[in-house]
Amino acid sequence: MDFTKMHGCGNDYVYIDCFKQDVEAPELLARTLSDRHKGVGGDGVILICPSETADAKMRMFNADGSEGRMCGNGVRCVAEYLFRHGYASGTAADVETLSGVKHIVRREPGLLTVDMGAPELAPEKIPVTGFAKPVVNELVEVNGGAVRMTCVSMGNPHCVVYVPDTAGLNLPVLGGAMEHSKWFPEGVNTEFIQILDETHLKMRVWERGSGETMACGTGACAAVVASVLNGHCKKDTDVDVLLLGGTLTIRYTGDTVLMTGNAVEVFTGTVEV
């Protein structure tokens, strides 16, 4: 099986071109190829498939084999792949996902902007249980302590928590506790945010099914939406989110969320499965 290794801000996946080859048991394939010691290595596997409604369809599988609805860094890389390999022309491409069709503009090779759509704040749509109204700066108990969380869906569930300093966090404990807490029946991605100023946020993320990753595009979008809701950032303003793997620029207009970031091809190869 031929594959391409790509990353967006260090959020790396193994990409498989399903225009040219079929994939059986993608859940098992993701667990096998994502292993950083015995496989190719990555945060998961993304299939680039034919679509009846867009230039291509993205199917994204986490490192544990679970299928995700959306990946912001992944969809940029899918679009970059489409441009590089002649599946899309010009400067715009549409990619079908489980969270709808995403429109991507290629500003230059390797730099793309994705219209991520409107954030979802209704608790039942995220989903987050135990709340009748949008969860903004709500105090909850987790792992024996208290945190304030803001919940947003960007096609997948996110919980944003503000901290004084992201460097000293015990992310496996805190992130794992949030992922498996009673409030999130489908698990959750948790963004731990340090506010630098109103246009710069520092972020570490715990992704459900993968653990800590170098970056999370939908998580960066959720962080900026939450920061606007909490009064830390301004609406319709570019905000740089500093992640372990690089920087994403996010703009929440009030109607939609625009995400700009890189998409890098690392290497190609062939693996026996």
Side-chain angles (χ1 to χ4, degrees), residues 176-190:
M178 295 302 296
E179 179 182 359
H180 302 293
S181 71
K182 62 182 180 181
W183 300 289
F184 303 103
E186 297 179 9
V188 74
N189 306 289
T190 305

Side-chain angles (χ1 to χ4, degrees), residues 24-128:
E24 297 181 1
E27 299 87 353
L28 177 60
L29 187 68
R31 292 196 297 271
T32 302
L33 296 187
S34 298
D35 191 304
R36 296 190 184 276
H37 299 287
K38 300 179 180 179
V40 177
D43 292 326
V45 166
I46 289 180
L47 309 183
I48 305 172
C49 309
S51 169
E52 295 181 357
T53 60
D55 294 294
K57 178 179 181 179
M58 178 180 83
R59 293 190 68 193
M60 170 263 192
F61 294 85
N62 296 307
D64 67 353
S66 60
E67 185 168 6
R69 294 182 59 83
M70 183 56 194
C71 175
N73 291 315
V75 78
R76 288 201 317 279
C77 288
V78 168
E80 180 67 14
Y81 185 94
L82 297 178
F83 289 119
R84 282 175 174 261
H85 295 272
Y87 297 121
S89 58
T91 59
D94 291 331
V95 177
E96 179 187 355
T97 76
L98 289 178
S99 295
V101 175
K102 304 302 178 185
H103 184 70
I104 301 104
V105 174
R106 194 189 201 199
R107 294 172 173 262
E108 60 185 64
L111 182 67
L112 304 97
T113 296
V114 186
D115 186 342
M116 297 292 290
E120 180 60 69
L121 302 177
E124 66 275 11
K125 297 290 184 66
I126 293 175
V128 52

Side-chain angles (χ1 to χ4, degrees), residues 16 24-25 34 46 49 60 72 80 104 155 158 160 181 183 186 195 203 205 210 224 242-243 245 247 253 261-262:
I16 299 174
E24 297 181 1
S34 298
I46 289 180
C49 309
M60 170 263 192
E80 180 67 14
I104 301 104
H158 291 275
V160 178
S181 71
W183 300 289
E186 297 179 9
I195 302 165
M203 169 177 145
V205 58
S210 293
V224 172
L242 285 62
L243 305 125
T247 299
T253 67
N262 66 350

